[in-house]
Every structure is written in structure tokens, then in C-alpha cells.
């Protein structure tokens, strides 16, 4: 078994532990993707009102991205607190500090990748319903037709893979500061 397989199997075996982090991340991706769908919608590109709506959606995307960063970072912190004793046991059995950090990095990137794909997939499934709701809320004269939002998908995928990369690197730095005894006694605190 290679180290990558070990990290992948660790994610699969601890589904319950990873579930809250995964679903919170996927929800953040889905919300961002929904706004990206509106921002790139061809029905919102013509006219002054439509361009203002598209610009507003891009601003909302940026705000959601910043809040998603802190939300996912907080979720990751809570998730790591539950696993500190497990990390201490792994280090006691011979895992080096570098291997532990690499394992956590790979696990975070795996969860981030699948959460991004799941968030985009869920957003695609709910896209027509959301377009109908927006059409009614904005009281548009013309309907917003369903379209395949390739630009929204690419933007969402790239933005969240960068977000998960930064959070994974930040997590690796946080883990470095904990010693073995602190990790083992973390459940007592």
C-alpha cells in the first residue's frame, strides 16, 4: 500500500468523521456556483438592468468566496480537533511529522476535490429550479432558459481548488506546532 492509498483509505474508513466537513464544503461550493450561474447567464448579459444584475452577482461571488474561506477553515479546524488523538497514535507508531502533514494535506485535497465536484453537480441539478425562482423574484419579462454553464463550472472548480490548496497548506502549518503529548491528551482538554 502506497502512502497515497493509505490517505485515500483513511478518508473512506472515517466517513462519519469527514461527513460534516465534506457537506459544509460542498454546500459552500454549491452556493458559489449558483451565483456564478447567474453571473454568466446569457439572458443577463444584454441591457443595463441585466448587466447590473450580472455585476451584482460577481460582487456576491467575491463576498461568498471570502466567507467560504473562513467557513471551510473553521470547519477544518473543528474537524482536526476531533482527530488529534488519532494523529498522536500514528506518530507513536512511527509516522514522522512530515508524513503526518503530507497525509493531512492529501486528505484535505481529496475531500476538497470531491466536495467541489459534488457542489457543482448539486448546483447543476438544482439550476433550473433556481433560475425559475430568480425569474419570479426579479420579475423578468423574458424567461431565463436552462444552459450549460461551462464558465461558471470552470470558475467554481478553479476557485475552490485554490481555496482548498491554501487551507490545506494552512492546516499543515497548524499541525506542525503540536507535540506528541499534546496530541495524545487533546481528548482530555
Amino acid at each position: 500500500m502506497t502512502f497515497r492509498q493509505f490517505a485515500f483509505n483513511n478518508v473512506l474508513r472515517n466517513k462519519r468523521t469527514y461527513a460534516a466537513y465534506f457537506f459544509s464544503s460542498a454546500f459552500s461550493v454549491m452556493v458559489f456556483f449558483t451565483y456564478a450561474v447567474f453571473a454568466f447567464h446569457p439572458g443577463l448579459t444584454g441591457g443595463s438592468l441585466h448587466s447590473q444584475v450580472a455585476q451584482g452577482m460577481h460582487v456576491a461571488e467575491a463576498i461568498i468566496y471570502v466567507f467560504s474561506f473562513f467557513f471551510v477553515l473553521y470547519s477544518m479546524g473543528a474537524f482536526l480537533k476531533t482527530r488529534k488523538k488519532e494523529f498522536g497514535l500514528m506518530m507513536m507508531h512511527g509516522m514522522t511529522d512530515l508524513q503526518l502533514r503530507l497525509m493531512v494535506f492529501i486528505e484535505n485535497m481529496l475531500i476538497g476535490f470531491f466536495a467541489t465536484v459534488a457542489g457543482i453537480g448539486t448546483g447543476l441539478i438544482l439550476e433550473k429550479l433556481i433560475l425559475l425562482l430568480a425569474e419570479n423574484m426579479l420579475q423578468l419579462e423574458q424567461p431565463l432558459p436552462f444552459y450549460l454553464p461551462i464558465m461558471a463550472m470552470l470558475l467554481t472548480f478553479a476557485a475552490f481548488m485554490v481555496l482548498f490548496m491554501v487551507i490545506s497548506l494552512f492546516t499543515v502549518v497548524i499541525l506542525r506546532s503540536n507535540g506528541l503529548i499534546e496530541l495524545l491528551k487533546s481528548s482530555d482538554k
Side-chain angles (χ1 to χ4, degrees):
M1 179 184 297
T2 66
F3 193 72
R4 287 187 189 113
Q5 288 173 332
F6 176 71
F8 185 75
N9 288 336
N10 203 16
V11 171
L12 287 179
R13 277 185 247 126
N14 294 324
K15 287 178 219 163
R16 286 191 176 153
T17 307
Y18 288 97
Y21 176 58
F22 173 80
F23 287 122
S24 64
S25 300
F27 181 75
S28 296
V29 172
M30 186 190 74
V31 170
F32 181 87
F33 177 71
T34 301
Y35 280 90
V37 165
F38 285 118
F40 291 110
H41 197 284
L44 297 176
T45 54
S48 63
L49 173 66
H50 296 298
S51 65
Q52 289 174 355
V53 170
Q55 284 180 332
M57 292 298 168
H58 283 299
V59 170
E61 278 181 307
I63 293 169
I64 288 170
Y65 190 72
V66 169
F67 280 109
S68 293
F69 175 79
F70 291 113
F71 180 66
V72 172
L73 186 63
Y74 178 77
S75 299
M76 188 62 200
F79 167 66
L80 284 178
K81 284 181 185 177
T82 64
R83 297 191 63 212
K84 282 189 176 185
K85 189 171 185 177
E86 179 184 340
F87 295 154
L89 290 172
M90 285 180 183
M91 289 181 73
M92 213 167 76
H93 284 277
M95 183 177 268
T96 65
D97 193 37
L98 179 64
Q99 287 174 329
L100 177 68
R101 287 185 273 146
L102 181 63
M103 182 190 72
V104 170
F105 179 81
I106 291 171
E107 288 175 0
N108 285 343
M109 290 306 294
L110 277 170
I111 292 171
F113 174 78
F114 288 115
T116 303
V117 170
I120 291 172
T122 306
L124 279 173
I125 291 169
L126 298 174
E127 178 183 357
K128 185 57 183 173
L129 175 67
I130 293 169
L131 287 173
L132 286 172
L133 289 172
E135 189 179 305
N136 289 333
M137 288 176 63
L138 295 174
Q139 299 174 352
L140 297 176
E141 297 155 2
Q142 295 180 351
L144 293 173
F146 180 82
Y147 78 108
L148 187 61
I150 302 232
M151 286 300 294
M153 290 166 55
L154 292 174
L155 174 69
T156 303
F157 186 79
F160 274 88
M161 289 313 295
V162 168
L163 183 136
F164 284 112
M165 175 79 74
V166 169
I167 287 176
S168 296
L169 290 172
F170 188 72
T171 303
V172 166
V173 171
I174 291 172
L175 270 180
R176 185 179 0 179
S177 64
N178 294 327
L180 177 62
I181 294 174
E182 183 181 333
L183 290 173
L184 289 172
K185 291 184 175 184
S186 66
S187 63
D188 297 337
K189 290 183 179 180

